[in-house]
Amino acid sequence: SLDVGLDKMRSDLGALLAERDQKNQALQEELAERLRTEEALDLSRAKFSAIFDASPVAMTVSALGGDFALRDLNAAWVNLFGRSREAMLASPDAELAVWKSAHDRSTVMDVLARTGEVSRQACWMVGEAGQHEILCEISGRLIAHGDEPLLILAYEDITAKHRYEEN
């Protein structure tokens, strides 16, 4: 009877160890999948960052909601508007200063809120602390980024084209 009891315990222990091994294998597979997903996400972020930073088109990334606070802007944007990247990112409402008309900004934001995107919306902007005006075609869209929806906008300077067409 002691032998039978020990055999049953060995059998139960063997079953528990086999179950543990299966669960460990499942966890290892899940961990490997998560690592592959994180690597793919890192690659995607690196690609976006490279395209964003190298783009000759002025671009911004803003938080959606309230004041649309800037999260990032590229070198082309700094060159077009003649404003410091650091100063623009440090102040939540700094982006307001580049819009000549609050009405134009409101129109762009309303279209984005209604449709999720805006395409080639012509707006007068202000460069270099108000020293000159820039006519931009603004295009962009809302994207989901975790819990924080973001707004990506591109600003194409069409000032010279506009002046040429006027004459």
Side-chain angles (χ1 to χ4, degrees):
S1 128
L2 184 58
D3 288 341
V4 172
L6 286 174
D7 286 342
K8 170 120 175 70
M9 288 175 69
R10 282 188 198 106
S11 175
D12 290 347
L13 182 58
L16 287 172
L17 290 173
E19 183 181 344
R20 184 201 64 187
D21 290 344
Q22 287 176 342
K23 287 183 179 180
N24 279 343
Q25 181 62 33
L27 286 173
Q28 296 243 347
E29 290 171 8
E30 183 179 333
L31 179 59
E33 179 61 30
R34 284 186 184 188
L35 289 173
R36 283 190 295 273
T37 301
E38 285 180 19
E39 288 172 358
L41 184 57
D42 288 347
L43 178 61
S44 178
R45 285 182 182 143
K47 285 180 183 178
F48 174 80
S49 183
I51 291 167
F52 181 80
D53 292 337
S55 175
V57 176
M59 298 174 72
T60 60
V61 177
S62 303
L64 182 61
D67 56 2
F68 293 92
L70 286 173
R71 295 287 187 251
D72 203 359
L73 49 95
N74 66 1
W77 193 96
V78 170
N79 291 336
L80 178 61
F81 291 103
R83 295 171 190 258
S84 153
R85 181 178 191 280
E86 293 74 21
M88 293 301 296
L89 295 177
S91 174
D93 60 350
E95 182 260 347
L96 297 172
V98 299
W99 293 83
K100 181 179 177 188
S101 161
H103 175 72
D104 282 352
R105 182 180 187 275
S106 179
T107 298
V108 168
M109 297 309 165
D110 287 347
V111 169
L112 282 161
R114 274 195 329 273
T115 67
E117 62 184 82
V118 65
S119 181
R120 303 176 67 100
Q121 179 76 40
C123 297
W124 283 100
M125 310 296 281
V126 182
E128 296 184 42
Q131 294 179 14
H132 69 280
E133 295 178 354
I134 307 163
L135 183 59
C136 288
E137 280 187 347
I138 300 173
S139 299
R141 72 178 36 205
L142 303 176
I143 63 167
H145 177 53
D147 293 340
E148 181 181 38
L150 297 174
L151 168 62
I152 299 178
L153 290 178
Y155 305 76
E156 182 181 353
D157 182 358
I158 60 166
T159 310
K161 176 183 172 189
H162 173 73
R163 289 191 178 132
Y164 176 79
E165 290 173 354
E166 276 187 327
N167 295 329

